[in-house]
Amino acid sequence: MLHVPPLVSTLTIGLVLAFSLGVVAHRLKLPPLVGYLVAGIAIGFSPSVGADQNIANQLSEVGVILLLFGVGLHFSVKDLLSVRAIAIPGAVLQGLVATPLGMGVGWMLGWSLGAGFIFGLALSVASTVVLLRMLQERRLIDTERGRITVGWLIVQDIAMVMALVLLPAITGLFEGDAPPDLTEMARQCAEVIGKLAIFTFVMFVVGKKLIPMLLHYVAHTGSRELFRLAVLSIALGFAFLAAELFGVSLALGAFFAGMVLSESQLSQQAATESLPLRDAFAVLFFVSVGMLFHPAIMMDEPLAVLATVAIIVVAKSIVAYSIVRAFGYSHDAGLMISASLAQIGEFSFILASLGQSLGVLPQEGRDLILAGAIISILLNPLLFAALDGYFARRERLAAEGVVPEGTDMDAETEEEEATPTREPIVPTTLTDHVVLVGHGRVGKFISKQLRERGTPLYIVEDDADDVADLKSQGIEALVGNAADPEVVQSANLGDARCLLVAIPDAFEGGQVVQQARDINPVLQIIARAHSEEEINHLVKLGANLVVMGEHEIAKAMIGDVEGVRSPTRGDDGAPRPRTSSFA
């Protein structure tokens, strides 16, 4: 019988099962991350299926590198500085409360001081993946509440990156009964910090020039394949160099590479090109974490599980709410921000894995972290559903002239916090306008031409920075996924002149076309495609015209072929160059 290599079987089983359970989780309106973790748990219960734990762990390392590279790409010093007054003390104070509480749980379970410290630290940091996705779905990224939450998250991420660097050097504090050699530990910490300082200097002096220059050179080759390969080479290559030459973690090297690249004009394109592979390996990271989980912890230590969830969901939320209110923000903002941070995720898993590899955190600790993560991620959508119900009830009572006790109902708060957990979409009042979906390379060229002609224009784009720039130029634009029915409704397609679908994804574009056709049966819809199959798909869903780049290039090349004159030749018989080949 043909033997399937363990690498192939691990990849196949992990991705297929993660996809299947991720779809189920999505159908249940839960984050797909829950499905990925459950897939890992299922594989861990069935070792005979052929997935190799060691290979899964190695693949998950690539997932960690690409995840941290993505965090670096979205790191914005400007955004952090705009909310630093609350984000920095908020993240620090929340960590100072959650970490000792976690240490208390560890003490009750008889763990060492180091195990409790790592456990508490893991409970203090929210999931970047879950939080950013939630903010995007609720269109809160561009709001003040969203910026505070993201700033808070960035401070937590930086703290965790530093923890990943320093923990190996300070493990002597947590090992054995004999007092640690503080001199040796100080020397090790100084060595680590020194290497980190040198690496930081190299990245911000050499890397800041080298990385953008390399990407710009590759971009000018016109090869999308080479550009994608360049992005992945930067992420993996700098992570490898960081570990081999400077002794810092792979994760930190990837984070710095992403952060340096974020200042380049090509950062958005780099993020787009690395996204598919990043998502695939991030899924394998969550699957590998699930494979390590022992659900028996739920029965063996129910009180410890309950205490862990209480720290994540209740204690962290109370601290976050208190800090937000102490800084003068509204009751509603406090509830939204505290609910956003009431979960843990990928950094907690990375810390747990590091703690185990150092021999400090017991298996029980990692199981409690995983249980807390899964339960808190499951509870997070329910928290927001409860907040939606609370705010809807409050607005209904306010309309009836009844103000619920303890509610901020001053004019400023009412204006700012009308719907705190989901930013409302205001439909455009434009008529006889062109709706442009997607503002990438193609979309930017289209919008420039239409603006020069004075054509009324409404743009839907998922890049918040791009939309902010468009709004500063007086152009109506909306951040969001155009496949979202609420976003499509905002474009006033019933009175529009035309819909231009300029996004490269034919699947998403097809959803936009289908919804637009249902809204306005006579609307002129023009879309783009990359293959004959995509053309047929979009036409079937209602597009009037589908443009394929290769077809248009061919038409342009042969359009005036009859007007091309043969080159004249000189005395030596060689063709003479012409300034133009066309008559």
Side-chain angles (χ1 to χ4, degrees):
M1 186 177 73
L2 183 65
H3 177 67
V4 179
L7 175 61
V8 176
S9 62
T10 302
L11 271 172
T12 304
I13 295 168
L15 290 177
V16 169
L17 195 56
F19 163 71
S20 304
L21 294 179
V23 170
V24 172
H26 181 73
R27 292 287 294 175
L28 296 174
K29 299 190 182 302
L30 296 171
L33 186 149
V34 174
Y36 309 153
L37 291 170
V38 174
I41 294 170
I43 295 171
F45 261 106
S46 308
S48 59
V49 298
D52 187 289
Q53 178 69 64
N54 291 327
I55 291 176
N57 289 341
Q58 292 177 43
L59 292 172
S60 73
E61 286 285 354
V62 180
V64 171
I65 290 171
L66 296 178
L67 270 174
L68 269 293
F69 180 68
V71 172
L73 277 175
H74 291 95
F75 180 86
S76 171
V77 177
K78 179 182 177 183
D79 287 345
L80 177 59
L81 292 177
S82 69
V83 294
R84 65 186 182 279
I86 181 173
I88 295 175
V92 171
L93 287 173
Q94 194 176 46
L96 290 176
V97 171
T99 302
L101 289 175
M103 293 175 72
V105 172
W107 176 77
M108 288 190 296
L109 294 172
W111 300 348
S112 68
L113 181 66
F117 176 75
I118 293 175
F119 179 73
L121 202 61
L123 301 188
S124 69
V125 58
S127 166
T128 303
V129 174
V130 174
L131 193 148
L132 289 179
R133 198 163 296 176
M134 181 278 300
L135 291 178
Q136 288 167 348
E137 287 175 356
R138 293 176 172 270
R139 296 176 294 277
L140 292 167
I141 288 285
D142 281 338
T143 66
E144 184 179 42
R145 301 182 299 275
R147 287 192 293 272
I148 291 172
T149 309
V150 171
W152 200 305
L153 182 68
I154 289 173
V155 175
Q156 287 186 341
D157 286 352
I158 293 173
M160 291 306 107
V161 169
M162 294 302 298
L164 293 175
V165 173
L166 293 176
L167 273 177
I170 62 174
T171 50
L173 285 173
F174 309 137
E175 293 177 348
D177 297 325
D181 185 344
L182 296 180
T183 304
E184 177 62 19
M185 284 183 55
R187 186 195 66 78
Q188 291 179 2
C189 285
E191 183 180 344
V192 169
I193 294 172
K195 288 182 177 179
L196 179 61
I198 295 171
F199 175 68
T200 303
F201 175 80
V202 170
M203 288 299 296
F204 280 95
V205 175
V206 180
K208 193 172 183 179
K209 295 182 179 180
L210 179 62
I211 292 176
M213 183 176 67
L214 175 63
L215 270 189
H216 279 279
Y217 172 78
V218 176
H220 284 115
T221 66
S223 172
R224 188 174 183 179
E225 180 181 344
L226 281 177
F227 186 85
R228 184 181 294 121
L229 190 59
V231 172
L232 296 174
S233 297
I234 289 169
L236 296 171
F238 277 89
F240 178 79
L241 290 175
E244 289 294 314
L245 298 183
F246 299 96
V248 299
S249 68
L250 293 167
L252 184 64
F255 175 78
F256 270 92
M259 190 164 60
V260 170
L261 184 54
S262 69
E263 299 183 15
S264 167
Q265 294 179 347
L266 294 169
S267 61
Q268 182 62 34
Q269 182 66 17
T272 302
E273 294 298 336
S274 65
L275 188 61
L277 197 62
R278 188 174 81 220
D279 284 349
F281 278 97
V283 166
L284 290 173
F285 168 70
F286 292 117
V287 169
S288 72
V289 169
M291 290 171 69
L292 299 171
F293 177 57
H294 296 93
I297 192 74
M298 308 286 284
M299 301 298 294
D300 296 340
E301 297 288 350
L303 293 179
V305 172
L306 186 62
T308 300
V309 174
I311 292 171
I312 298 168
V313 177
V314 180
K316 286 174 59 179
S317 295
I318 291 173
V319 173
Y321 177 82
S322 302
I323 292 169
V324 172
R325 293 292 279 157
F327 276 83
Y329 291 90
S330 69
H331 168 70
D332 295 350
L335 289 176
M336 196 287 295
I337 292 170
S338 59
S340 301
L341 298 166
Q343 37 77 20
I344 62 173
E346 58 279 356
F347 264 118
S348 305
F349 305 151
I350 297 169
L351 275 172
S353 298
L354 177 62
Q356 274 218 304
S357 67
L358 294 173
V360 177
L361 186 71
Q363 173 68 41
E364 185 182 27
R366 182 168 61 182
D367 290 342
L368 285 174
I369 290 171
L370 291 171
I374 293 172
I375 294 171
S376 66
I377 291 170
L378 285 168
L379 289 176
N380 206 245
L382 301 180
L383 286 176
F384 276 95
L387 283 180
D388 287 338
Y390 165 71
F391 291 125
R393 175 177 173 274
R394 191 188 67 183
E395 289 180 4
R396 186 173 64 253
L397 291 175
E400 296 171 358
V402 180
V403 179
E405 186 177 351
T407 302
D408 298 341
M409 292 300 292
D410 54 90
E412 181 181 350
T413 300
E414 279 190 281
E415 181 180 353
E416 180 188 347
E417 306 288 346
T419 310
T421 65
R422 182 179 291 273
E423 192 69 10
I425 293 180
V426 180
T428 181
T429 57
L430 291 174
T431 57
D432 192 32
H433 59 294
V434 172
V435 178
L436 174 61
V437 175
H439 202 246
R441 289 180 296 177
V442 174
K444 283 182 170 64
F445 184 80
I446 293 172
S447 67
K448 181 176 182 294
Q449 298 294 316
L450 292 177
R451 278 181 284 168
E452 289 175 355
R453 299 176 188 177
T455 304
L457 184 62
Y458 184 79
I459 299 174
V460 178
E461 166 61 35
D462 61 5
D463 181 359
D465 292 336
D466 200 2
V467 170
D469 183 54
L470 288 168
K471 288 181 177 179
S472 69
Q473 299 175 46
I475 302 166
E476 282 202 47
L478 175 69
V479 179
N481 185 337
D484 182 344
E486 202 173 347
V487 173
V488 173
Q489 291 286 346
S490 75
N492 191 20
L493 292 174
D495 294 324
R497 180 190 310 181
C498 178
L499 169 65
L500 303 178
V501 183
I503 52 178
D505 186 342
F507 176 75
E508 184 181 333
Q511 293 178 295
V512 178
V513 169
Q514 187 175 31
Q515 292 183 66
R517 182 57 67 213
D518 291 339
I519 293 172
N520 187 346
V522 297
L523 179 67
Q524 183 74 10
I525 301 176
I526 303 174
R528 63 180 286 199
H530 295 288
S531 67
E532 299 289 347
E533 291 78 10
E534 290 183 0
I535 291 175
N536 295 333
H537 171 69
L538 291 166
V539 169
K540 183 179 179 181
L541 292 175
N544 299 95
L545 174 65
V546 180
V547 179
M548 180 174 165
E550 288 81 356
H551 287 178
E552 299 309 308
I553 292 171
K555 289 176 184 177
M557 292 177 74
I558 67 174
D560 295 317
V561 71
E562 296 298 329
V564 177
R565 298 198 303 265
S566 298
T568 59
R569 295 184 178 274
D571 296 336
D572 58 357
R576 291 178 177 174
R578 292 180 180 272
T579 56
S580 173
S581 299
F582 296 94

